[in-house]
Amino acid sequence: MDLKIRLRIAILSIAVGLAVLALKVGAYLLTGSVALYSDALETTVNIASSLATLAAVWFAAKPADSNHPYGHDKAEYFAAVLVGVMIVLAAVSIFHAAWIGFTAGDSVTYSPAGIAMNVVAALINGAWARFLMRYGKRERSPALVADGKHLQADVLTSVGVLVGVILVLVTGWKILDPALAVLVGLAVLWSGWELVKESVGGLMDESASSDVLKKIRVLISEHGEGALEAHDLRTRIAGRSTFIDFHLVVPGTMSVVQAHDICDRIEEAIREDVPGAHITMHVEPEHKAKHSGIVVL
């Protein structure tokens, strides 16, 4: 996915968020439900997160420069952390609204139009969340995946709120409405925590997954013919980029040209199977072998 497509997706997320917000605010105004108010409030965070995603996608796509020789991919993690913080703030606002609902005890008004608006909003969010997560994972964009996960959580809370509001109308139990708002707040708070935790892992140079590491070891072993071993393999993830470095041991009598050819073969094989790979190899003579790394077949 090129930059123009990713930016277009981020802009569409903002448009979707505004449309959903309008539907949810309408549903709240027609019913007076605190739970629906909390659902609408969460959507304002969706819009803010989409704005952060737009900025992050644009900034992360900038090429490496003298001040940022490893690129700008980590900008997407900062955006994801910001979204997580905003989610937590939304949860606090929801708890405040729930407290008002408990103390005021206002009744929920039955409105078929209001309920229908909430259903339509949930359907729109569900379809867009699925789209964002699918493309975000394929293109290794933490910001797009984070936006999709938040929308997916929003859909689940919207469904729960809708069921609860219907129960309030059927049973007449007013306390269910603010109680639902509290549950929504807790769900929002948890999603914010999970998002911040995942994003901080990216900022802390988290290693590639065990599956990717296994794949890299196999590729080095299969395509390093002429070398003796590889050791001290390290990886780190930064957005769509995977940085890989290791030491490659070759016979002491091998020429620089021959060693370079081996490095080229390994690099080409890894780049084909690991998208966004940036590889650094340190070539060493055979007396530097540790006999505990990757044995070349």
mmCIF file of all heavy atoms in Angstrom, residues 87-126:
data_model
loop_
_atom_site.group_PDB
_atom_site.id
_atom_site.type_symbol
_atom_site.label_atom_id
_atom_site.label_comp_id
_atom_site.label_asym_id
_atom_site.label_seq_id
_atom_site.Cartn_x
_atom_site.Cartn_y
_atom_site.Cartn_z
ATOM 1 N N ILE A 87 -8.155 7.438 24.955
ATOM 2 C CA ILE A 87 -9.171 6.453 25.332
ATOM 3 C C ILE A 87 -9.371 6.457 26.844
ATOM 4 O O ILE A 87 -10.504 6.410 27.339
ATOM 5 C CB ILE A 87 -8.764 5.050 24.847
ATOM 6 C CG1 ILE A 87 -8.827 4.983 23.314
ATOM 7 C CG2 ILE A 87 -9.681 3.985 25.439
ATOM 8 C CD1 ILE A 87 -8.292 3.684 22.736
ATOM 9 N N VAL A 88 -8.272 6.535 27.581
ATOM 10 C CA VAL A 88 -8.367 6.565 29.042
ATOM 11 C C VAL A 88 -9.115 7.819 29.506
ATOM 12 O O VAL A 88 -9.964 7.764 30.405
ATOM 13 C CB VAL A 88 -6.961 6.503 29.671
ATOM 14 C CG1 VAL A 88 -7.037 6.726 31.178
ATOM 15 C CG2 VAL A 88 -6.305 5.159 29.376
ATOM 16 N N LEU A 89 -8.837 8.965 28.880
ATOM 17 C CA LEU A 89 -9.531 10.199 29.230
ATOM 18 C C LEU A 89 -11.030 10.085 28.933
ATOM 19 O O LEU A 89 -11.866 10.584 29.696
ATOM 20 C CB LEU A 89 -8.927 11.378 28.467
ATOM 21 C CG LEU A 89 -7.501 11.774 28.860
ATOM 22 C CD1 LEU A 89 -6.986 12.887 27.955
ATOM 23 C CD2 LEU A 89 -7.450 12.222 30.316
ATOM 24 N N ALA A 90 -11.363 9.423 27.824
ATOM 25 C CA ALA A 90 -12.781 9.223 27.495
ATOM 26 C C ALA A 90 -13.456 8.366 28.559
ATOM 27 O O ALA A 90 -14.611 8.621 28.931
ATOM 28 C CB ALA A 90 -12.910 8.557 26.126
ATOM 29 N N ALA A 91 -12.742 7.352 29.063
ATOM 30 C CA ALA A 91 -13.310 6.495 30.097
ATOM 31 C C ALA A 91 -13.624 7.300 31.359
ATOM 32 O O ALA A 91 -14.676 7.118 31.993
ATOM 33 C CB ALA A 91 -12.336 5.365 30.429
ATOM 34 N N VAL A 92 -12.737 8.231 31.718
ATOM 35 C CA VAL A 92 -12.977 9.081 32.884
ATOM 36 C C VAL A 92 -14.235 9.927 32.685
ATOM 37 O O VAL A 92 -15.061 10.073 33.602
ATOM 38 C CB VAL A 92 -11.753 9.985 33.146
ATOM 39 C CG1 VAL A 92 -12.055 11.001 34.250
ATOM 40 C CG2 VAL A 92 -10.537 9.147 33.529
ATOM 41 N N SER A 93 -14.398 10.478 31.487
ATOM 42 C CA SER A 93 -15.590 11.280 31.183
ATOM 43 C C SER A 93 -16.859 10.432 31.248
ATOM 44 O O SER A 93 -17.908 10.899 31.703
ATOM 45 C CB SER A 93 -15.457 11.916 29.797
ATOM 46 O OG SER A 93 -14.353 12.784 29.743
ATOM 47 N N ILE A 94 -16.749 9.197 30.810
ATOM 48 C CA ILE A 94 -17.905 8.292 30.858
ATOM 49 C C ILE A 94 -18.292 7.995 32.305
ATOM 50 O O ILE A 94 -19.481 7.986 32.657
ATOM 51 C CB ILE A 94 -17.588 6.985 30.094
ATOM 52 C CG1 ILE A 94 -17.513 7.270 28.587
ATOM 53 C CG2 ILE A 94 -18.650 5.917 30.373
ATOM 54 C CD1 ILE A 94 -16.992 6.113 27.764
ATOM 55 N N PHE A 95 -17.298 7.764 33.159
ATOM 56 C CA PHE A 95 -17.589 7.516 34.575
ATOM 57 C C PHE A 95 -18.282 8.724 35.215
ATOM 58 O O PHE A 95 -19.183 8.577 36.042
ATOM 59 C CB PHE A 95 -16.297 7.199 35.339
ATOM 60 C CG PHE A 95 -15.673 5.886 34.961
ATOM 61 C CD1 PHE A 95 -14.294 5.742 34.893
ATOM 62 C CD2 PHE A 95 -16.465 4.778 34.664
ATOM 63 C CE1 PHE A 95 -13.712 4.535 34.541
ATOM 64 C CE2 PHE A 95 -15.890 3.552 34.317
ATOM 65 C CZ PHE A 95 -14.519 3.436 34.252
ATOM 66 N N HIS A 96 -17.870 9.916 34.804
ATOM 67 C CA HIS A 96 -18.503 11.132 35.330
ATOM 68 C C HIS A 96 -19.969 11.199 34.907
ATOM 69 O O HIS A 96 -20.854 11.520 35.711
ATOM 70 C CB HIS A 96 -17.747 12.368 34.838
ATOM 71 C CG HIS A 96 -18.320 13.663 35.311
ATOM 72 N ND1 HIS A 96 -19.109 14.460 34.514
ATOM 73 C CD2 HIS A 96 -18.246 14.286 36.517
ATOM 74 C CE1 HIS A 96 -19.482 15.527 35.198
ATOM 75 N NE2 HIS A 96 -18.976 15.441 36.422
ATOM 76 N N ALA A 97 -20.219 10.886 33.626
ATOM 77 C CA ALA A 97 -21.598 10.892 33.136
ATOM 78 C C ALA A 97 -22.437 9.836 33.847
ATOM 79 O O ALA A 97 -23.617 10.053 34.146
ATOM 80 C CB ALA A 97 -21.613 10.648 31.621
ATOM 81 N N ALA A 98 -21.836 8.682 34.121
ATOM 82 C CA ALA A 98 -22.557 7.615 34.815
ATOM 83 C C ALA A 98 -22.934 8.057 36.233
ATOM 84 O O ALA A 98 -24.035 7.776 36.718
ATOM 85 C CB ALA A 98 -21.708 6.356 34.863
ATOM 86 N N TRP A 99 -22.013 8.763 36.898
ATOM 87 C CA TRP A 99 -22.302 9.245 38.252
ATOM 88 C C TRP A 99 -23.498 10.207 38.253
ATOM 89 O O TRP A 99 -24.370 10.131 39.118
ATOM 90 C CB TRP A 99 -21.068 9.929 38.824
ATOM 91 C CG TRP A 99 -21.323 10.620 40.136
ATOM 92 C CD1 TRP A 99 -21.397 11.952 40.370
ATOM 93 C CD2 TRP A 99 -21.562 9.982 41.389
ATOM 94 N NE1 TRP A 99 -21.661 12.195 41.677
ATOM 95 C CE2 TRP A 99 -21.767 10.998 42.338
ATOM 96 C CE3 TRP A 99 -21.615 8.646 41.810
ATOM 97 C CZ2 TRP A 99 -22.029 10.745 43.668
ATOM 98 C CZ3 TRP A 99 -21.867 8.382 43.145
ATOM 99 C CH2 TRP A 99 -22.079 9.416 44.050
ATOM 100 N N ILE A 100 -23.507 11.087 37.243
ATOM 101 C CA ILE A 100 -24.652 12.000 37.116
ATOM 102 C C ILE A 100 -25.934 11.213 36.905
ATOM 103 O O ILE A 100 -26.988 11.526 37.458
ATOM 104 C CB ILE A 100 -24.420 12.993 35.953
ATOM 105 C CG1 ILE A 100 -23.238 13.916 36.279
ATOM 106 C CG2 ILE A 100 -25.685 13.811 35.672
ATOM 107 C CD1 ILE A 100 -22.850 14.831 35.138
ATOM 108 N N GLY A 101 -25.852 10.143 36.097
ATOM 109 C CA GLY A 101 -27.026 9.305 35.847
ATOM 110 C C GLY A 101 -27.517 8.618 37.112
ATOM 111 O O GLY A 101 -28.726 8.525 37.348
ATOM 112 N N PHE A 102 -26.590 8.158 37.951
ATOM 113 C CA PHE A 102 -26.977 7.507 39.205
ATOM 114 C C PHE A 102 -27.666 8.494 40.159
ATOM 115 O O PHE A 102 -28.647 8.158 40.823
ATOM 116 C CB PHE A 102 -25.742 6.922 39.907
ATOM 117 C CG PHE A 102 -25.315 5.580 39.385
ATOM 118 C CD1 PHE A 102 -24.036 5.393 38.882
ATOM 119 C CD2 PHE A 102 -26.191 4.500 39.393
ATOM 120 C CE1 PHE A 102 -23.633 4.158 38.397
ATOM 121 C CE2 PHE A 102 -25.794 3.254 38.913
ATOM 122 C CZ PHE A 102 -24.515 3.080 38.416
ATOM 123 N N THR A 103 -27.147 9.714 40.221
ATOM 124 C CA THR A 103 -27.678 10.690 41.175
ATOM 125 C C THR A 103 -28.949 11.374 40.672
ATOM 126 O O THR A 103 -29.851 11.675 41.459
ATOM 127 C CB THR A 103 -26.611 11.755 41.484
ATOM 128 O OG1 THR A 103 -26.156 12.354 40.257
ATOM 129 C CG2 THR A 103 -25.436 11.127 42.207
ATOM 130 N N ALA A 104 -29.027 11.619 39.337
ATOM 131 C CA ALA A 104 -30.202 12.314 38.794
ATOM 132 C C ALA A 104 -31.372 11.362 38.580
ATOM 133 O O ALA A 104 -32.523 11.712 38.816
ATOM 134 C CB ALA A 104 -29.838 13.009 37.481
ATOM 135 N N GLY A 105 -31.065 10.160 38.107
ATOM 136 C CA GLY A 105 -32.105 9.154 37.909
ATOM 137 C C GLY A 105 -33.105 9.491 36.814
ATOM 138 O O GLY A 105 -34.297 9.220 36.945
ATOM 139 N N ASP A 106 -32.652 10.130 35.744
ATOM 140 C CA ASP A 106 -33.548 10.469 34.632
ATOM 141 C C ASP A 106 -34.018 9.212 33.902
ATOM 142 O O ASP A 106 -33.313 8.210 33.836
ATOM 143 C CB ASP A 106 -32.838 11.395 33.643
ATOM 144 C CG ASP A 106 -32.531 12.753 34.263
ATOM 145 O OD1 ASP A 106 -33.268 13.137 35.182
ATOM 146 O OD2 ASP A 106 -31.556 13.397 33.825
ATOM 147 N N SER A 107 -35.211 9.293 33.332
ATOM 148 C CA SER A 107 -35.783 8.159 32.610
ATOM 149 C C SER A 107 -35.315 8.143 31.164
ATOM 150 O O SER A 107 -35.020 9.183 30.570
ATOM 151 C CB SER A 107 -37.318 8.221 32.647
ATOM 152 O OG SER A 107 -37.784 8.169 33.969
ATOM 153 N N VAL A 108 -35.254 6.939 30.598
ATOM 154 C CA VAL A 108 -34.913 6.772 29.192
ATOM 155 C C VAL A 108 -36.199 6.790 28.373
ATOM 156 O O VAL A 108 -37.179 6.135 28.718
ATOM 157 C CB VAL A 108 -34.164 5.444 28.960
ATOM 158 C CG1 VAL A 108 -33.865 5.242 27.484
ATOM 159 C CG2 VAL A 108 -32.880 5.415 29.778
ATOM 160 N N THR A 109 -36.167 7.552 27.286
ATOM 161 C CA THR A 109 -37.347 7.674 26.425
ATOM 162 C C THR A 109 -37.274 6.659 25.296
ATOM 163 O O THR A 109 -36.242 6.548 24.619
ATOM 164 C CB THR A 109 -37.434 9.087 25.831
ATOM 165 O OG1 THR A 109 -37.478 10.033 26.891
ATOM 166 C CG2 THR A 109 -38.688 9.229 24.965
ATOM 167 N N TYR A 110 -38.361 5.925 25.089
ATOM 168 C CA TYR A 110 -38.378 4.947 23.992
ATOM 169 C C TYR A 110 -38.446 5.679 22.663
ATOM 170 O O TYR A 110 -39.330 6.500 22.423
ATOM 171 C CB TYR A 110 -39.573 4.014 24.127
ATOM 172 C CG TYR A 110 -39.726 3.074 22.946
ATOM 173 C CD1 TYR A 110 -38.764 2.105 22.689
ATOM 174 C CD2 TYR A 110 -40.812 3.180 22.085
ATOM 175 C CE1 TYR A 110 -38.875 1.254 21.604
ATOM 176 C CE2 TYR A 110 -40.947 2.330 20.998
ATOM 177 C CZ TYR A 110 -39.974 1.360 20.760
ATOM 178 O OH TYR A 110 -40.096 0.533 19.680
ATOM 179 N N SER A 111 -37.492 5.399 21.782
ATOM 180 C CA SER A 111 -37.454 6.039 20.459
ATOM 181 C C SER A 111 -36.941 5.036 19.432
ATOM 182 O O SER A 111 -35.737 4.751 19.393
ATOM 183 C CB SER A 111 -36.545 7.271 20.483
ATOM 184 O OG SER A 111 -36.348 7.774 19.172
ATOM 185 N N PRO A 112 -37.835 4.477 18.618
ATOM 186 C CA PRO A 112 -37.389 3.544 17.568
ATOM 187 C C PRO A 112 -36.339 4.163 16.659
ATOM 188 O O PRO A 112 -35.375 3.497 16.259
ATOM 189 C CB PRO A 112 -38.677 3.234 16.805
ATOM 190 C CG PRO A 112 -39.762 3.509 17.781
ATOM 191 C CD PRO A 112 -39.285 4.654 18.603
ATOM 192 N N ALA A 113 -36.527 5.469 16.337
ATOM 193 C CA ALA A 113 -35.565 6.142 15.460
ATOM 194 C C ALA A 113 -34.196 6.221 16.123
ATOM 195 O O ALA A 113 -33.154 6.001 15.484
ATOM 196 C CB ALA A 113 -36.067 7.544 15.117
ATOM 197 N N GLY A 114 -34.170 6.520 17.430
ATOM 198 C CA GLY A 114 -32.906 6.611 18.150
ATOM 199 C C GLY A 114 -32.176 5.274 18.195
ATOM 200 O O GLY A 114 -30.961 5.205 17.980
ATOM 201 N N ILE A 115 -32.916 4.203 18.447
ATOM 202 C CA ILE A 115 -32.317 2.867 18.487
ATOM 203 C C ILE A 115 -31.803 2.471 17.110
ATOM 204 O O ILE A 115 -30.704 1.912 16.967
ATOM 205 C CB ILE A 115 -33.346 1.843 19.007
ATOM 206 C CG1 ILE A 115 -33.651 2.128 20.487
ATOM 207 C CG2 ILE A 115 -32.824 0.419 18.831
ATOM 208 C CD1 ILE A 115 -34.742 1.272 21.065
ATOM 209 N N ALA A 116 -32.582 2.799 16.081
ATOM 210 C CA ALA A 116 -32.166 2.471 14.713
ATOM 211 C C ALA A 116 -30.883 3.213 14.335
ATOM 212 O O ALA A 116 -29.997 2.646 13.677
ATOM 213 C CB ALA A 116 -33.281 2.822 13.736
ATOM 214 N N MET A 117 -30.771 4.465 14.754
ATOM 215 C CA MET A 117 -29.562 5.246 14.463
ATOM 216 C C MET A 117 -28.339 4.612 15.110
ATOM 217 O O MET A 117 -27.256 4.566 14.519
ATOM 218 C CB MET A 117 -29.750 6.687 14.940
ATOM 219 C CG MET A 117 -30.785 7.465 14.140
ATOM 220 S SD MET A 117 -31.177 9.075 14.863
ATOM 221 C CE MET A 117 -29.737 10.011 14.370
ATOM 222 N N ASN A 118 -28.506 4.108 16.329
ATOM 223 C CA ASN A 118 -27.394 3.464 17.016
ATOM 224 C C ASN A 118 -26.981 2.170 16.321
ATOM 225 O O ASN A 118 -25.800 1.853 16.234
ATOM 226 C CB ASN A 118 -27.775 3.194 18.472
ATOM 227 C CG ASN A 118 -26.580 2.896 19.340
ATOM 228 O OD1 ASN A 118 -26.254 1.750 19.593
ATOM 229 N ND2 ASN A 118 -25.902 3.949 19.806
ATOM 230 N N VAL A 119 -27.964 1.415 15.826
ATOM 231 C CA VAL A 119 -27.681 0.170 15.098
ATOM 232 C C VAL A 119 -26.891 0.459 13.826
ATOM 233 O O VAL A 119 -25.892 -0.207 13.517
ATOM 234 C CB VAL A 119 -28.992 -0.572 14.761
ATOM 235 C CG1 VAL A 119 -28.720 -1.720 13.794
ATOM 236 C CG2 VAL A 119 -29.658 -1.091 16.021
ATOM 237 N N VAL A 120 -27.326 1.471 13.068
ATOM 238 C CA VAL A 120 -26.638 1.840 11.828
ATOM 239 C C VAL A 120 -25.198 2.268 12.132
ATOM 240 O O VAL A 120 -24.259 1.896 11.415
ATOM 241 C CB VAL A 120 -27.396 2.970 11.101
ATOM 242 C CG1 VAL A 120 -26.583 3.485 9.909
ATOM 243 C CG2 VAL A 120 -28.753 2.472 10.626
ATOM 244 N N ALA A 121 -25.012 3.030 13.199
ATOM 245 C CA ALA A 121 -23.673 3.479 13.580
ATOM 246 C C ALA A 121 -22.770 2.281 13.891
ATOM 247 O O ALA A 121 -21.604 2.246 13.486
ATOM 248 C CB ALA A 121 -23.766 4.406 14.795
ATOM 249 N N ALA A 122 -23.302 1.291 14.600
ATOM 250 C CA ALA A 122 -22.514 0.102 14.937
ATOM 251 C C ALA A 122 -22.133 -0.685 13.688
ATOM 252 O O ALA A 122 -21.007 -1.194 13.585
ATOM 253 C CB ALA A 122 -23.302 -0.783 15.901
ATOM 254 N N LEU A 123 -23.045 -0.799 12.741
ATOM 255 C CA LEU A 123 -22.759 -1.524 11.501
ATOM 256 C C LEU A 123 -21.663 -0.835 10.686
ATOM 257 O O LEU A 123 -20.769 -1.497 10.145
ATOM 258 C CB LEU A 123 -24.031 -1.653 10.660
ATOM 259 C CG LEU A 123 -25.124 -2.570 11.227
ATOM 260 C CD1 LEU A 123 -26.385 -2.482 10.372
ATOM 261 C CD2 LEU A 123 -24.631 -4.015 11.291
ATOM 262 N N ILE A 124 -21.739 0.484 10.622
ATOM 263 C CA ILE A 124 -20.712 1.233 9.888
ATOM 264 C C ILE A 124 -19.354 1.043 10.547
ATOM 265 O O ILE A 124 -18.348 0.781 9.885
ATOM 266 C CB ILE A 124 -21.077 2.733 9.829
ATOM 267 C CG1 ILE A 124 -22.325 2.950 8.968
ATOM 268 C CG2 ILE A 124 -19.913 3.549 9.268
ATOM 269 C CD1 ILE A 124 -22.847 4.373 8.993
ATOM 270 N N ASN A 125 -19.316 1.171 11.871
ATOM 271 C CA ASN A 125 -18.053 1.010 12.602
ATOM 272 C C ASN A 125 -17.478 -0.393 12.438
ATOM 273 O O ASN A 125 -16.271 -0.583 12.280
ATOM 274 C CB ASN A 125 -18.273 1.289 14.094
ATOM 275 C CG ASN A 125 -17.882 2.702 14.469
ATOM 276 O OD1 ASN A 125 -17.279 3.417 13.685
ATOM 277 N ND2 ASN A 125 -18.228 3.108 15.669
ATOM 278 N N GLY A 126 -18.357 -1.418 12.469
ATOM 279 C CA GLY A 126 -17.899 -2.793 12.336
ATOM 280 C C GLY A 126 -17.240 -3.056 10.998
ATOM 281 O O GLY A 126 -16.167 -3.684 10.924
#
